[in-house]
Amino acid sequence: MFLHSVNLWNLAFYALMVFMATLGLWDVFFGFEENKCSMSYMFEYPEYQKIELPKKLAKRYPAYELYLYGEGSYAEEHKVLPLTGIPVLFLPGNAGSYKQVRSIGSIALRKAEDIDFKYHFDFFSVNFNEELVALYGGSLQKQTKFVHECIKTILKLYKGQEFAPKSVAIIGHSMGGLVARALLTLKNFKQDLINLLITQATPHVAPVMPLDRFITDFYMTVNNYWILNARHINLTTLSVAGGFRDYQVRSGLTFLPKLSHYTSALSVVSSAVPKTWVSTDHLSIVWCKQLQLTTIRAFFDLIDADTKQITQNPKKKLSVLNHHFIRHPAKHFEENPSIVSDLTGTSMWVPVKVSKWTYVAYNESDKIYFTFPLANHRKIYTHVYCQSTMLDTNSWIFGCINSTSMCRQGVDLSWKAELLPTIKSLTLRLQDYPSLSHLVVYVPSIHGSKFVVDCEFFKKETRSIQLPVTHLFSFGLSSRKVILNTSGLFYNIELLNFGQIYQAFKVNVVSKCSGVKEEITSIYKLHIPWSYEDSLTIAQVPSSTEISVKLHIAQPENDSHVALLKMYTSSDCQYEVTVKTSFSQILGQVVRFHGGALPAYVISSILLAYGGQLYSLFSTGHCLEYAAMLDKEAKPYKVDPFVIMVKFLLGYKWFKEFWDMLLLPELDAIVLTSQSMCFPLVSLILFLFGTCTAYWGGLLSSTSVRLLSSLWLTLKRPSELPKDMKIISPDLPILTVVLIIVSWATCGAFAILLTYLYYVFKIVHLQASLTTFKNSQTVNPKHSRRSEKKSNHHKDSTVYQLRLSASDAEDSLRMHSTVINLLTWIVLLSMPSLIYWLKNLRYYFKLNPDPCKPLAFILIPTMAVLGNTYTASIKSSKLLKTTSQFPLPLAVGVIAFGSAHLYRVPCFVFIPLLLHALCNFM
């Protein structure tokens, strides 16, 4: 019956929406590179030593614990406190385990062993009982206060030591990183207790799913504090994102805003981190060997030799993090590197006058300095590019000042180089170094090793090629192409008109090589100049390589940089670069950036259908099918224009003042604009997805009710349609009071779930009664006709009333099916706090604070009345017309205020339900 109420065209449309949504979901969950992270392993058995906390603290936080990580002999030695190392505190995130410290703790221990424990780190980890803090924000403040106490406890373990630390470094995974930032908001917290903060896959900007007001309030408190106190916060902070593999926390949420030039904050995606170059998922970011090695190298470079603790110098800390996480010059970190190097010793000096030069070094017995005079090259070329496949950390390229053929001292240009997976490269603009007379490339003496050094001089315009990207709505049917015919080693492909998060492309690089006998490697690097989200692709040429091109962060309005595809190529190959729009990846970006708002659009569509049903009941006396009404009423032009108009008017000062005077919250569309998340037509796409979800959800709920009613009829004898429609049955007040007590004493979401189950039971019972009646009319039509002839006027009246009751029952079921759809979404949105409560039931029986308790107090009596409501009892209500007009503005309100604040959505839903229930009495 549900499908019969929808025509084939609409059914085809809903199927198309499912297909498009599936494409977007596939791109988010599967459309990324394979996991290239190496697993980190232990060499000895891991041990987690529980640190004894003060009794008052343990009593105040019974679910939380503090542990010290160790392995083998180190673990045995440190069972006897105090400690002598450098303290690092690991904070797990949502549902995270304290044992996730194992990977980085084990690697740090191996590194300390390599230097004979000259320095070593003590890794502590907090057990938050794997709380679901990304879904329920009521415990975030409690976690923050516990971490503060842990820091003070940790520092006491070093009391009396010669180099006792005065602060700790913190590594926070996921929500653990936000808790670490929240420490600064505590009244009695001293900022000096933290010397470094590294967060991994932490959503700093906004919660992934704002399911309760405690999460959003916590975010507002933390971010407002950091904004208002930017000048006074000197905590060096590094945020590392996982890239596109992390579909739980999109990387755009992890970028810390550069609040002022005083802020010592860096944000980077793991695919851009030197020596890592891989995307990580939300869990692998804590055990990815490449990333953890980089982190530990940075930690050891941060040690101050005088204090044997992490340096307090903010400039050094930022320099170390830049060296390891942003741009690595293929040299060991030096705080004050020597710019001038001595070029002495018994070495050969070989002049090179050609503009393009290659040297293959193999079993070299002598050191060689190759010198390139720059005077003549300056007249013809603008840049010089050199690369070497020798990936050692020694200086390899220098500049001579006022030299003829050789120089005793040279400017060490190696610090300007960049490390890549297979080469280290350097590009210099010649006019930036007017005092240099020669460029010197150093080839050390080697035995048994082979490497290649290349250099070439070029004009910038010959290596910078502009490639405008295809239009958003070309759907991949058109493409743009450039061919690199010259035999260069390096090219910059400028991707023009590319800077928005809703843009997504497939770039195909086809390489053709001639006369190549051995395998050659090319590197294609997507460089995004306004954020550290570069990604690298390594290709063995000749080959055809496909690269996905899309953004985590949109280009700022005042930024004029151009995204680049940097190509490190072979001079023996020709390259063809083709770009075309990827429709599936565009849908993926819609899901990635706006998928969390989908419940608001689903509920908005259901509200529109609900309003239509109420109005049809008022105007015709009958309630139409949910699917037919959804098709008729759920139109985006009823919602979007109002939101767009209000957003436009809020740009005027007088309207903004009027808006604030009414104490209305900020429009969610403005919040999304501030985060550069506004797609063209995104609201329309989400509305269509929402209507589609509402349709298939209605089909599922209708089918479920029919199946449950069939099961009911199988297990219990058939029941009759109710002959008297009592709104308030004798047991209803008792049930309502019991559920309200349950809500107050335990968890509001639990009471809402029980109310939902009661309501479903009432509807299943009504469906079973209607089915029984219809079956009896179908099975015995002759008997029914005979009894009709013999009956008197009173009997005829009774049969008429029975048939009317059946018609009302069908109308009531249609109305109840829509209410069930609304109530299902309320239950789903309240489910996280219920799961949290169930998980922590052994520690406390009452959830406090409880985000669902106020809603439960109103919803319980409302649904208790609606469970006994029939259309016949409200047809003549004076309130029905007004009730039917409310869902439309509420549907607008859901989109305007609930798309980025999902916890507000139930507040819009219970209003029409309450009015519907009141129709029984007015």
Side-chain angles (χ1 to χ4, degrees), residues 44-49 68-83 109 117:
E44 296 176 279
Y45 190 79
E47 292 188 38
Y48 302 90
Q49 180 184 347
L68 171 65
Y69 177 81
E71 295 177 14
S73 58
Y74 170 87
E76 289 298 323
E77 290 171 8
H78 289 81
K79 283 182 179 178
V80 181
L81 303 175
L83 304 173
L109 190 58
F117 285 93

Side-chain angles (χ1 to χ4, degrees), residues 801-826:
Q801 289 295 330
L802 190 60
R803 287 177 180 172
L804 180 63
S805 178
S807 175
D808 285 339
E810 286 189 341
D811 281 348
S812 298
L813 274 172
R814 290 168 185 157
M815 186 66 74
H816 286 309
S817 69
T818 306
V819 174
I820 281 181
N821 290 331
L822 285 172
L823 200 57
T824 300
W825 281 98
I826 291 180

Side-chain angles (χ1 to χ4, degrees), residues 163-235:
F163 298 102
K166 297 178 181 178
S167 58
V168 302
I170 295 181
I171 298 176
H173 173 240
S174 188
M175 294 297 286
L178 188 71
V179 168
R181 286 180 63 216
L183 285 167
L184 275 64
T185 66
L186 298 178
K187 288 183 180 179
N188 300 322
F189 185 79
K190 296 178 181 177
Q191 194 183 134
D192 295 340
L193 291 177
I194 309 176
N195 53 46
L196 177 68
L197 172 59
I198 295 179
T199 66
Q200 299 173 335
T202 296
H204 292 292
V205 177
V208 176
M209 292 289 283
L211 295 172
D212 67 57
R213 64 181 177 84
F214 303 120
I215 295 178
T216 53
D217 289 349
F218 189 80
Y219 266 90
M220 190 175 293
T221 301
V222 173
N223 287 332
N224 285 349
Y225 181 88
W226 280 62
I227 290 169
L228 296 174
N229 298 278
R231 293 194 175 194
H232 308 294
I233 295 175
N234 54 12
L235 173 60

Side-chain angles (χ1 to χ4, degrees), residues 281-299:
D281 60 54
H282 197 63
L283 292 179
S284 68
I285 197 168
V286 299
W287 56 256
C288 182
K289 185 177 180 180
Q290 296 96 312
L291 183 60
Q292 301 311 324
L293 282 170
T294 299
T295 305
I296 291 303
R297 291 188 198 106
F299 267 119

Side-chain angles (χ1 to χ4, degrees), residues 601 635-645 683-684 687 895:
Y601 285 87
K635 305 296 182 185
Y637 60 76
K638 294 185 177 183
V639 175
D640 282 344
F642 181 81
V643 177
I644 294 169
M645 182 178 65
S683 188
L684 173 62
F687 196 95
I895 302 303

Side-chain angles (χ1 to χ4, degrees), residues 363-596:
N363 280 338
E364 299 292 336
S365 57
D366 297 319
K367 302 175 184 178
I368 308 175
Y369 289 104
F370 292 95
T371 62
F372 298 80
L374 300 179
N376 292 329
H377 289 310
R378 290 184 199 276
K379 300 175 184 177
I380 307 172
Y381 305 107
T382 59
H383 290 70
V384 59
Y385 170 82
C386 291
Q387 66 180 34
S388 173
T389 59
M390 179 83 164
L391 300 182
D392 63 348
T393 56
N394 296 317
S395 297
W396 63 286
I397 190 163
F398 307 88
C400 288
I401 300 173
N402 299 324
S403 173
T404 53
S405 60
M406 59 181 291
C407 55
R408 294 186 177 275
Q409 288 187 325
V411 178
D412 191 350
L413 300 174
S414 306
W415 292 103
K416 304 285 185 182
E418 180 183 14
L419 178 66
L420 294 167
T422 58
I423 59 171
K424 51 186 178 184
S425 67
L426 173 71
T427 304
L428 296 177
R429 191 167 70 161
L430 294 177
Q431 71 178 51
D432 292 341
Y433 301 89
S435 61
L436 297 185
S437 60
H438 287 74
L439 187 70
V440 179
V441 175
Y442 171 63
V443 175
S445 58
I446 55 170
H447 300 284
S449 299
K450 180 180 179 180
F451 66 95
V452 181
V453 185
D454 298 275
C455 284
E456 64 174 349
F457 292 85
F458 62 89
K459 290 182 179 179
K460 181 184 177 182
E461 55 269 22
T462 63
R463 301 301 170 85
S464 295
I465 301 167
Q466 294 184 341
L467 178 61
V469 297
T470 48
H471 195 271
L472 179 68
F473 297 110
S474 64
F475 301 107
L477 300 176
S478 62
S479 62
R480 291 199 171 106
K481 183 191 300 184
V482 293
I483 298 175
L484 312 179
N485 284 321
T486 58
S487 57
L489 297 171
F490 173 77
Y491 293 91
N492 274 332
I493 308 295
E494 298 179 4
L495 301 175
L496 302 181
N497 309 317
F498 173 53
Q500 301 301 322
I501 53 175
Y502 55 79
Q503 294 176 295
F505 307 95
K506 288 181 180 177
V507 173
N508 192 47
V509 181
V510 178
S511 54
K512 297 177 182 178
C513 307
S514 57
V516 177
K517 295 181 180 179
E518 58 184 26
E519 206 172 54
I520 302 174
T521 300
S522 291
I523 300 173
Y524 313 132
K525 178 180 179 179
L526 177 64
H527 174 60
I528 309 300
W530 54 85
S531 63
Y532 298 119
E533 54 177 286
D534 297 1
S535 58
L536 280 81
T537 303
I538 302 172
Q540 303 296 331
V541 296
S543 64
S544 177
T545 306
E546 187 175 272
I547 305 168
S548 292
V549 175
K550 50 196 173 188
L551 295 172
H552 297 292
I553 297 287
Q555 185 174 16
E557 290 183 4
N558 57 352
D559 194 296
S560 59
H561 292 94
V562 179
L564 299 174
L565 180 63
K566 293 187 172 185
M567 300 181 61
Y568 300 88
T569 57
S570 169
S571 57
D572 297 319
C573 303
Q574 290 186 346
Y575 296 81
E576 181 181 281
V577 182
T578 307
V579 60
K580 62 180 179 180
T581 300
S582 174
F583 182 62
S584 63
Q585 291 187 60
I586 290 173
L587 293 174
Q589 291 290 81
V590 172
V591 173
R592 183 175 288 108
F593 283 84
H594 292 278

